[in-house]
Amino acid sequence: MTSARSLPSLPTRRLGATGPQVSALGLGCMGMSALYGESDRAESIATIHAALDAGVTLLDTGDFYGMGHNELLISEALRTAPAAAREQALTSVKFGALRTVEGGFTGYDGRPAAVKNFAAYSLQRLGTDHIDIYRIARVDPDVPIEETVGAIAELVEAGHVRHIGLSEVGADTLRRAAAVAPISDLQIEYSLISRGIEEKILPTARELGIGITAYGVLSRGLISGHFTRDRELAPGDFRGMSPRFQGDNLDRNLDLVDQLRALAEAKGVTVAQTAIAWVLAQADRQGADIVPLVGARRRDRLTEALGALDVTLDDADLAAIERAVPAGAAAGERYPAAQMAHLDSEH
């Protein structure tokens, strides 16, 4: 059996002042179950195993990803992984989204009783006695964030949850939540073409000692260097409804990628590695407070993403990237209008 000492180790970062120490890159598992078309179960599990073998310790999921499918997938992957890798793995779980049988979204439920109900189901599906980081996916507009966070705090006190996280909340909500209980991290979209957190949210998180787990660092593949103008999306692929992947928006955004590609090739790295390395480089130099989540569904994409940890961007590189892809350069919103309305971070 693999010993703990023989496992590879990646650079680590702490999630905020009170959160756990995690690998500097986490694995976002959503695409293995939902929103990007069909996925290969065997390859998904092999990718999770490869991530654990490489030293990735943070696995991010949501109880509504495939209506529980993703949690069951992670449970199977952990159950069949070497004990040493399994023991190092940390689960970050989002909850609260309400779904229909057909797969639609009908809102969010942050009532304390619902929080505890969601947690009970997640613990059963994951096959574990605790969730490492637990967070509501979107703020329930009908329930004060203090009540939702208070319910998670009770789960922490009972030993069912280790740390409290938040997702897509604005600066004011972040302050209100942090006044109730310690918050480890805020999960929020952050990439070269999604930089809205820089004005108020990121400074507030740093003031409060809250880390950032950044999702969408490749903007759902848009700035990965692999997405082409003529790509046909599978039925059910979320990107088919995403404004940034539509018509002229797609052309303009891929023009930005072409500019980024020229810089990446000059450094001998890939576009994806450059984009991920840029997010890594935005971390506070004192606290390394940003952990990118990479949504790799295949082992080759995971290997490419992990290579970003070996990319060093100096001040000249960062300035060149800023000129190639300046803040606000992306065409189109990051979600369709109906979903943007659910983002507390955008209000």
Side-chain angles (χ1 to χ4, degrees):
M1 183 175 290
T2 304
S3 68
R5 292 183 180 179
S6 67
L7 285 174
S9 61
L10 295 178
T12 62
R13 295 181 171 184
R14 182 171 295 282
L15 293 183
T18 64
Q21 197 83 10
V22 300
S23 52
L25 283 182
L27 181 64
C29 299
M30 180 189 76
M32 298 176 181
S33 298
L35 299 180
Y36 292 118
E38 293 294 325
S39 60
D40 184 314
R41 186 180 187 86
E43 181 61 23
S44 295
I45 291 174
T47 300
I48 295 173
H49 285 170
L52 295 172
D53 289 345
V56 172
T57 63
L58 181 62
L59 302 178
D60 183 77
T61 185
D63 63 8
F64 52 95
Y65 293 166
M67 280 73 89
H69 178 278
N70 205 238
E71 290 178 319
L72 292 169
L73 185 77
I74 289 173
S75 177
E76 181 179 347
L78 291 175
R79 189 173 62 251
T80 54
R86 181 169 63 249
E87 289 163 6
Q88 290 192 147
L90 301 175
T91 53
S92 168
V93 179
K94 290 180 291 298
F95 69 88
L98 303 176
R99 306 293 304 272
T100 66
V101 173
E102 295 75 21
F105 288 84
T106 60
Y108 296 89
D109 194 343
R111 295 171 302 154
V115 172
K116 295 173 183 179
N117 178 76
F118 288 130
Y121 280 79
S122 284
L123 289 168
Q124 179 67 27
R125 285 188 292 259
L126 289 166
T128 184
D129 64 357
H130 72 274
I131 295 165
D132 292 289
I133 312 166
Y134 202 46
R135 70 186 87 238
I136 191 165
R138 301 286 187 268
V139 173
D140 181 344
D142 297 323
V143 178
I145 193 65
E146 291 86 351
E147 293 184 17
T148 302
V149 169
I152 306 176
E154 291 178 8
L155 291 170
V156 172
E157 186 176 353
H160 304 311
V161 169
R162 296 281 170 82
H163 302 280
I164 304 171
L166 292 167
S167 176
E168 286 288 355
V169 305
D172 291 343
T173 303
L174 200 57
R175 289 188 187 281
R176 289 168 52 200
V180 175
I183 305 297
S184 66
D185 66 305
L186 167 63
Q187 188 173 122
I188 196 163
E189 185 168 358
Y190 187 43
S191 73
L192 264 171
I193 63 171
S194 295
R195 296 174 59 177
I197 72 170
E198 293 177 344
E199 182 180 355
K200 293 182 180 178
I201 296 173
L202 182 55
T204 301
R206 285 177 168 161
E207 175 193 336
L208 297 171
I210 295 171
I212 298 290
T213 39
Y215 76 88
V217 293
L218 297 179
S219 198
R220 298 162 185 83
L222 181 59
I223 59 171
S224 67
H226 301 298
F227 203 93
T228 60
R229 286 173 168 81
D230 59 354
R231 179 168 174 175
E232 293 288 336
L233 295 172
D237 192 317
F238 161 82
R239 292 169 293 190
M241 300 180 296
S242 174
R244 289 184 175 173
F245 289 82
Q246 306 300 314
D248 291 343
N249 286 351
L250 178 62
D251 287 334
R252 289 169 58 191
N253 291 330
L254 290 180
D255 285 344
L256 296 174
V257 176
D258 288 340
Q259 295 180 69
L260 189 62
R261 191 188 312 276
L263 299 176
E265 290 176 350
K267 286 188 68 69
V269 298
T270 70
V271 175
Q273 289 168 343
T274 304
I276 296 167
W278 181 88
V279 176
L280 285 164
Q282 305 312 303
D284 177 68
R285 300 289 174 87
Q286 303 301 314
D289 55 354
I290 298 176
V291 174
L293 300 172
V294 295
R297 300 197 295 170
R298 304 188 331 230
R299 284 168 286 181
D300 59 336
R301 296 288 192 249
L302 172 68
T303 299
E304 180 184 22
L306 291 173
L309 293 168
D310 297 321
V311 177
T312 300
L313 300 176
D314 60 24
D315 289 344
D317 293 326
L318 293 171
I321 292 171
E322 183 74 27
R323 288 192 297 271
V325 189
E333 298 284 1
R334 56 195 183 100
Y335 284 100
Q339 294 184 37
M340 288 291 288
H342 287 294
L343 297 178
D344 181 77
S345 55
E346 294 287 338
H347 303 299

